[in-house]
Amino acid sequence: MPTRLHVDVPHAHARGYDVIIGSGTLEDVPARVAAAAPAAVYALITPDDVVEPWGRRLAAAMLASGLPTELITTQPGEAHKTRDEWARLTDRMLELGCGRDCCVIAVGGGVTGDLAGFVAATYMRGVSFVQVPTSLLAMVDACVGGKTGVDTAYGKNLIGAFHTPRLVVIDPHVLSTLPLRELRAGLAEAVKHGAILDEAYFDWIEAHADAILALDDAALEQLIARSVELKAGIVMDDVFEHGRRAILNFGHTVGHALELRAAYALPHGFAVAEGMIAEAALGERAGVTEAGTQARMARVLAALGLPASASADITGLLESMRLDKKSRAGRPRVVLLERVGSVARDADGAWTHELNAEAAQHAIDGA
Ligand SMILES: NC(=O)c1ccc[n+]([C@@H]2O[C@H](COP(=O)([O-])OP(=O)(O)OC[C@H]3O[C@@H](n4cnc5c(N)ncnc54)[C@H](O)[C@@H]3O)[C@@H](O)[C@H]2O)c1
Ligand SMILES: [Zn+2]
């Protein structure tokens, strides 16, 4: 039996949705979609590297179930999470005659979910949306929370909208075609969930690193379900990111800056792994984070084949951090752990701490 988690959305203009997790659930997508998101036509958006293993197969299954479906492909990768690609997709849907009663189904990684979600949020002022995440990062993180959007030359995700899906279906079997590097990148976000919220889960990941990397069904289902549960818990608590949701940005202040510097050539999860190490070092140096946290972080990341040390040249990064939208009044802010499993609040009770450039450089040099 697949795991079914329900995400409540405490907001007048949106409803809650189910997240279904289980090996083989791809087979049930047509029936589940027909029930959760009835539509006149389904625009199934999938990147070129997912269309052959999964996208086309799913579109055929939808059609075989009597659900009118248009398969629309996109170019894969962060470089195409753009307004240009959004324009191309919405033009294509207009050309196909999709109306207000259509539904967008994203079949792909986080890039596809964000892009197709932004299409769904804006097409004819918003149509229904279903997520079938196919990368581990999208499964454990991006598919929950309703954030959609595209990147700009000024930074990632700066143009977007909140748009909750009607349904999310996660079949870990599709990970069989995901490059190992991408699998590892997704695991960084799972480690983050343990680091900020659940020490037992953090330890469980370390103990099951080999099973996870070997794509063991049971291990993957457990991993994905726990991460979805933890992320959904935060999101339900703080739908519009006014406060506590900020803790999901652990590792991301430095991580985003690293991504920007690498012009997005560095996988998001690798940047986050390095960011978590840097931010743990920072917290320890500031006397906020329990001693030994950075070492524990490094151990689990190494077991998963992720970066387990921080890059030394953080100075230039700090300048680009000023552009991070989590900065308040131009000063970068950072999430610091109290210890593995819990986040430290600053003296004013905020979930983020002001980032001191000098202290950051010292911490990274010593990391
Ligand atoms: N909306 C959110 O809350 C949220 C949260 C975290 C991350 N994100 C976003 O997610 C994006 C990163 O997602 P990602 O790491 O999945 O990157 P991605 O979508 O670029 O996926 C990586 C590559 O793997 C391909 N791929 C995906 N599934 C596959 C499969 N099963 N088999 C073969 N190839 C497959 C993709 O098409 C892509 O080429 C970033 O843009 C980030 O901003 C969004
Ligand atoms: Zn992330």
Side-chain angles (χ1 to χ4, degrees):
M1 272 296 279
T3 304
R4 178 182 152 276
L5 299 170
H6 187 76
V7 183
D8 267 322
V9 180
H11 182 253
H13 303 292
R15 49 177 111 169
Y17 53 96
D18 281 346
V19 180
I20 310 293
I21 304 155
S23 301
T25 47
L26 204 64
E27 308 290 326
D28 323 328
V29 168
R32 290 188 191 277
V33 164
V41 60
Y42 295 89
L44 194 156
I45 299 179
T46 191
D48 288 336
D49 53 357
V50 177
V51 66
E52 279 325 321
W54 312 109
R56 193 178 304 281
R57 190 196 290 193
L58 186 54
M62 294 282 295
L63 286 166
S65 300
L67 302 169
T69 301
E70 299 286 354
L71 181 64
I72 306 176
T73 57
T74 68
Q75 289 186 278
E78 192 74 45
H80 299 284
K81 199 176 113 177
T82 59
R83 280 167 284 182
D84 281 352
E85 197 63 9
W86 168 86
R88 207 184 58 76
L89 291 170
T90 46
D91 279 351
R92 180 71 186 130
M93 286 170 63
L94 290 166
E95 188 180 286
L96 288 165
C98 299
R100 288 217 48 176
D101 51 3
C102 76
C103 170
V104 171
I105 305 180
V107 183
V111 162
T112 306
D114 281 9
L115 176 63
F118 188 49
V119 167
T122 49
Y123 190 74
M124 304 208 168
R125 296 192 190 86
V127 297
S128 64
F129 178 44
V130 170
Q131 295 250 46
V132 181
T134 63
S135 71
L136 186 64
L137 185 133
M139 293 175 181
V140 300
D141 186 347
C143 73
V144 180
K147 283 206 223 171
T148 74
V150 293
D151 299 332
T152 74
Y154 295 90
K156 276 171 60 93
N157 304 320
L158 293 179
I159 306 293
F162 282 96
H163 194 61
T164 52
R166 287 284 173 86
L167 172 72
V168 180
V169 181
I170 303 178
D171 185 344
H173 269 174
V174 305
L175 297 173
S176 60
T177 58
L178 186 73
L180 179 60
R181 193 171 153 81
E182 297 293 346
L183 186 81
R184 292 191 158 124
L187 287 167
E189 301 284 1
V191 168
K192 179 192 77 180
H193 293 144
I196 59 174
L197 289 164
D198 184 346
E199 182 180 20
Y201 178 50
F202 185 93
D203 290 338
W204 179 91
I205 294 174
E206 189 179 358
H208 293 81
D210 291 342
I212 293 163
L213 290 172
L215 300 183
D216 176 79
D217 274 345
L220 286 174
E221 282 186 36
Q222 217 175 318
L223 176 98
I224 295 162
R226 187 62 187 142
S227 268
V228 166
E229 207 167 41
L230 289 170
K231 177 155 186 197
I234 292 287
V235 164
M236 285 190 276
D237 205 37
D238 186 12
V239 185
F240 292 111
E241 210 172 27
H242 295 311
R244 187 163 169 255
R245 187 171 177 157
I247 70 173
L248 292 168
N249 291 321
F250 175 57
H252 282 61
T253 305
V254 172
H256 276 160
L258 286 166
E259 279 185 298
L260 201 62
R261 190 188 60 182
Y264 301 131
L266 184 66
H268 178 72
F270 283 63
V272 170
E274 239 185 89
M276 289 192 291
I277 293 284
E279 294 177 14
L282 197 56
E284 285 190 43
R285 179 61 76 116
V288 171
T289 305
E290 185 178 89
T293 302
Q294 184 207 336
R296 263 177 97 179
M297 192 74 66
R299 218 170 55 207
V300 63
L301 293 173
L304 297 168
L306 283 160
S309 63
S311 71
D313 53 343
I314 196 102
T315 323
L317 282 180
L318 293 172
E319 180 55 25
S320 54
M321 279 182 195
R322 292 197 307 109
L323 290 171
D324 189 293
K325 62 184 184 310
K326 276 101 200 169
S327 306
R328 284 202 227 142
R331 280 176 161 270
R333 296 188 67 87
V334 65
V335 175
L336 297 179
L337 298 182
E338 184 174 45
R339 57 195 304 280
V340 169
S342 80
V343 167
R345 302 176 78 147
D346 82 348
D348 303 325
W351 292 102
T352 55
H353 300 246
E354 203 169 278
L355 183 61
N356 176 313
E358 228 171 292
Q361 186 63 64
H362 277 302
I364 304 309
D365 287 345

